[in-house]
Amino acid sequence: MKHFTLLLGLLFFIGCQESPKNKQESLDDVTNESKINNTMVVDLKTNDSILLEKGKKFAQSTQKVLGKNLMTSLQKSGTVGAVEFCNEKAYPLTDSMALVHHAKIRRVSDKPRNTNNQANQKELEYIEFFKSKINNNEPYEPIISNEDGTTNFYSPIITNAMCLNCHGVPEMNIDPKVTQLLNNKYPYDQAVGYTKNEVRGIWSITFNNELSK
């Protein structure tokens, strides 16, 4: 959006530099410029809305696939099975959805379980933004930024009661056997100590700006 704002500002700047030949031409130029700029603003907002929905679709469909398989593992083998699923299948499933959507799809956190899910500096800033909104019970939307024909989409991952079986407080929410398994599989695990309705991380999704997909 910053790039779009700069572009509109540049257009206004260029328009101000032109010396009109007469008063009538000046009025016509202003009218035409306003029409052009208004159209651009509408188009940019419309495009952003489409890209925002596209990002939501990618995150929701990937979450649906992961959630369905996670529930199957829970029903078959309990929380231990869920940990096994996350350790062995979550990455391949996420990558398969990335191929389906022609996008780069990641789940990142400031307190990762797997070190590969460590958020970068920009992602950490967005995590803090969503934390602030949720902690203050304020409305929010996922964030998109556009650059060089690419959209970056960020949306929070919020804990619920089921998450606490693996991400809650050890001994209070997490069974000791599960804690031992987590320690074995994730020796650098930071993703514990959560309560309900907290930001555990974000979806970080990158895709091109084609509006038709």
Side-chain angles (χ1 to χ4, degrees):
M1 184 62 69
K2 181 187 293 184
H3 291 67
F4 296 150
T5 303
L6 290 174
L7 175 60
L8 291 174
L10 180 60
L11 287 172
F12 280 117
F13 175 78
I14 293 173
C16 291
Q17 301 308 302
E18 296 177 350
S19 299
K21 296 179 180 178
N22 56 58
K23 185 175 182 180
Q24 183 60 46
E25 184 177 349
S26 175
L27 291 174
D28 290 340
D29 287 345
V30 170
T31 301
N32 290 333
E33 184 182 48
S34 297
K35 289 179 181 178
I36 292 171
N37 286 327
N38 285 339
T39 300
M40 286 189 65
V41 170
V42 171
D43 288 346
L44 293 177
K45 288 182 178 179
T46 300
N47 289 353
D48 276 358
S49 178
I50 293 172
L51 294 171
L52 182 64
E53 291 305 313
K54 188 175 179 180
K56 288 180 181 179
K57 174 185 174 183
F58 292 174
Q60 290 167 0
S61 61
T62 305
Q63 181 60 53
K64 184 176 180 180
V65 169
L66 291 174
K68 180 180 179 181
N69 284 273
L70 179 62
M71 286 302 298
T72 298
S73 297
L74 274 169
Q75 291 167 359
K76 286 183 177 180
S77 308
T79 306
V80 169
V83 173
E84 296 284 358
F85 162 79
C86 290
N87 181 255
E88 298 172 7
K89 302 291 179 62
Y91 262 107
L93 282 173
T94 302
D95 289 343
S96 69
M97 292 302 293
L99 289 174
V100 168
H101 292 307
H102 306 287
K104 181 180 179 180
I105 302 177
R106 300 171 61 230
R107 294 178 301 159
V108 299
S109 177
D110 55 335
K111 293 171 55 179
R113 172 150 286 168
N114 186 325
T115 54
N116 292 329
N117 293 342
Q118 174 64 53
N120 61 33
Q121 185 57 47
K122 181 181 292 185
E123 291 163 342
L124 288 172
E125 292 174 5
Y126 293 140
I127 288 172
E128 290 305 314
F129 168 80
F130 289 124
K131 283 183 178 181
S132 175
K133 290 295 184 181
I134 290 172
N135 290 342
N136 293 313
N137 199 28
E138 297 175 351
Y140 64 88
E141 277 284 342
I143 295 169
I144 60 169
S145 64
N146 302 311
E147 185 176 359
D148 298 328
T150 298
T151 292
N152 299 298
F153 171 91
Y154 308 96
S155 183
I157 299 171
I158 311 298
T159 56
N160 57 33
M162 187 176 73
C163 297
L164 303 187
N165 290 318
C166 293
H167 295 284
V169 178
E171 297 185 7
M172 180 184 296
N173 306 117
I174 307 175
D175 186 281
K177 292 182 180 179
V178 175
T179 297
Q180 184 60 53
L181 181 61
L182 290 171
N183 290 339
N184 291 338
K185 291 186 175 296
Y186 303 100
Y188 303 104
D189 182 19
Q190 301 178 55
V192 294
Y194 289 98
T195 58
K196 289 192 294 183
N197 201 40
E198 286 192 293
V199 177
R200 190 175 67 79
I202 59 173
W203 289 99
S204 180
I205 303 177
T206 303
F207 53 92
N208 63 41
N209 288 359
E210 294 178 20
L211 301 179
S212 59
K213 292 184 180 181

